[in-house]
Amino acid sequence: MNQFTSVHDVQDIRQLLKDALALKENPYSQQHLGKNKTLGLVFLNPSLRTRLSTQKAALNLGMNVMVMNMDKEGWALETQDGVVMNGTTVEHIREAAAVMGQYCDILGLRSFPKLVNREEDYNEDFFNKFIKYCNVPVVSLESATRHPLQSLADLVTIKETWKGEGKPKVVLAWAPHIKALPQAVPNSFAEWMCKAQEDGMIDFTIAQPKGYELNEDFTPGAYITHSLDEALKGADYIYVKNWSSYKEYGKVLTYPEGWMLNNEKLKGTNDAKVMHCLPVRRDLELSSEILDGPNSLVIHEAGNRLWAAQAVLKQMLENL
């Protein structure tokens, strides 16, 4: 694995899941891989789970880790070519990424979308230029359109906790929010679950109000409904997440009542386990009674962020 930006970078999804769960059982078994290797983590946006889990994963593998909060500690970056830099930008991404690649064996990068220009965000221009100029393997810590480390941890959690017969029914359920959020997490979750469905691991449904449909490139094979109650029937796992409109890009549209998941709605499920990537706004996106109750997997899921990151770094180190 030379880079990790989406499920399409994974040759064998089942092996990656196996690696993550094996590392969870024996976290320090592969420390020889990271000896005298350095991971650089570059953040242009805030992070809690992604930073700590990826940093810990690298340490478990014997790596050195450097963290750069570019939004607070770095120079303002210019990403466009052919411009005279006589404004607020100080350093061009060509030099910045190339220099970081000189210091690190693997780089992780986190950069959120602006949610203003859909074409600009979905072109992933910043991410692609960073990968091009740094000349070392890159792992996505979340981009404008995807969050693959989160999605891998989500699939690890489902794989680890499913004790039933056959395939579990997994539902991605839109939830309310007070502001426009990116589509990166739901895009990525849908993409990974569609791949898992294709491999015969799950059955996948997406529920969202009208106007909140995701880009179809991320949802091939998913059953899509505008009825939360329909989606919840027989559900084994419910992944709750807000996202802003893709069609009316970055907007918060009107929606009918009844989209926040609570214990009453869980009665229509197969005693479903509930997931969320965190952070979560209690009693807006998801009810406190679920978050504090026996159906919640959010802390377990967050814990698996460590093993997901470690499995990815392990495969990258093996390829160096």
Side-chain angles (χ1 to χ4, degrees):
M1 189 186 297
N2 291 316
Q3 67 181 36
F4 183 75
T5 61
S6 78
V7 72
H8 303 299
D9 294 318
V10 180
Q11 292 187 349
D12 188 337
I13 194 170
R14 291 179 182 269
Q15 183 60 51
L16 191 57
L17 293 173
K18 184 177 179 181
D19 282 355
L21 292 172
L23 288 164
K24 187 171 185 176
E25 289 294 318
N26 196 352
Y28 311 113
S29 61
Q30 304 295 317
Q31 284 194 333
H32 62 283
L33 291 174
K35 185 178 180 180
N36 298 326
K37 299 291 192 302
T38 298
L39 172 68
L41 300 177
V42 183
F43 292 93
L44 280 81
N45 299 97
S47 179
L48 190 158
R49 280 149 293 274
T50 299
R51 172 173 173 169
L52 294 181
S53 61
T54 310
Q55 189 168 357
K56 175 64 173 175
L59 294 172
N60 284 355
L61 290 166
M63 300 184 76
N64 301 309
V65 183
M66 297 190 295
V67 178
M68 184 71 184
N69 293 305
M70 287 293 293
D71 59 329
K72 302 176 182 67
E73 302 163 348
W75 302 113
L77 292 180
E78 177 60 61
T79 61
Q80 300 303 311
D81 291 324
V83 298
V84 177
M85 291 173 55
N86 58 0
T88 58
T89 56
V90 178
E91 183 163 19
H92 202 282
I93 192 173
R94 286 174 174 264
E95 288 79 47
V99 168
M100 292 178 197
Q102 293 286 301
Y103 303 148
C104 302
D105 300 281
I106 299 173
L107 282 165
L109 177 65
R110 183 181 183 97
S111 177
F112 291 171
K114 297 176 182 177
L115 287 179
V116 175
N117 185 313
R118 186 175 73 183
E119 182 178 359
E120 179 182 324
D121 287 343
Y122 273 71
N123 281 341
E124 293 282 15
D125 182 64
F126 182 86
F127 240 81
N128 291 332
K129 285 180 177 176
F130 189 90
I131 291 170
K132 177 180 179 181
Y133 298 132
C134 73
N135 290 313
V136 295
V138 172
V139 55
S140 171
L141 308 175
E142 188 171 357
S143 72
T145 64
R146 293 178 172 94
H147 195 352
L149 283 177
Q150 177 66 56
S151 303
L152 173 56
D154 299 334
L155 190 53
V156 168
T157 302
I158 293 169
K159 172 72 173 177
E160 181 184 29
T161 59
W162 175 242
K163 307 301 181 185
E165 297 181 1
K167 297 180 291 185
K169 179 181 177 180
V170 179
V171 176
L172 170 60
W174 183 90
H177 207 283
I178 60 171
K179 66 177 184 177
L181 296 187
Q183 293 109 37
V185 169
N187 277 348
S188 195
F189 184 81
E191 197 168 48
W192 281 75
M193 294 305 128
C194 286
K195 176 60 177 175
Q197 180 173 256
E198 182 182 311
D199 288 355
M201 298 169 64
I202 67 164
D203 289 322
F204 183 48
T205 294
I206 301 174
Q208 79 270 306
K210 291 182 180 179
Y212 282 97
E213 295 80 7
L214 296 170
N215 183 334
E216 293 180 357
D217 291 344
F218 296 91
T219 62
Y223 177 74
I224 300 174
T225 176
H226 295 129
S227 169
L228 181 60
D229 290 338
E230 177 192 0
L232 295 182
K233 291 178 181 177
D236 298 294
Y237 293 89
I238 307 166
Y239 195 91
V240 175
K241 186 69 179 80
N242 173 268
W243 60 90
S244 58
S245 175
Y246 171 76
K247 184 176 180 181
E248 296 186 52
Y249 192 62
K251 293 183 178 180
V252 177
L253 309 178
T254 58
Y255 58 90
E257 295 292 327
W259 278 90
M260 187 188 73
L261 194 66
N262 54 29
N263 281 342
E264 182 64 28
K265 291 185 179 299
L266 280 186
K267 293 177 181 179
T269 73
N270 187 24
D271 195 28
K273 298 299 183 183
V274 180
M275 304 171 69
H276 190 286
C277 63
L278 301 182
V280 61
R281 291 185 181 239
R282 283 172 170 255
D283 299 311
L284 175 65
E285 289 180 88
L286 187 55
S287 64
S288 292
E289 63 184 7
I290 287 182
L291 285 165
D292 298 332
N295 293 76
S296 175
L297 285 180
V298 298
I299 302 302
H300 186 116
E301 176 187 0
N304 279 337
R305 291 294 309 275
L306 170 55
W307 315 115
Q310 195 165 333
V312 168
L313 291 173
K314 169 183 174 287
Q315 290 199 6
M316 285 185 158
L317 288 167
E318 288 171 338
N319 201 46
L320 285 180

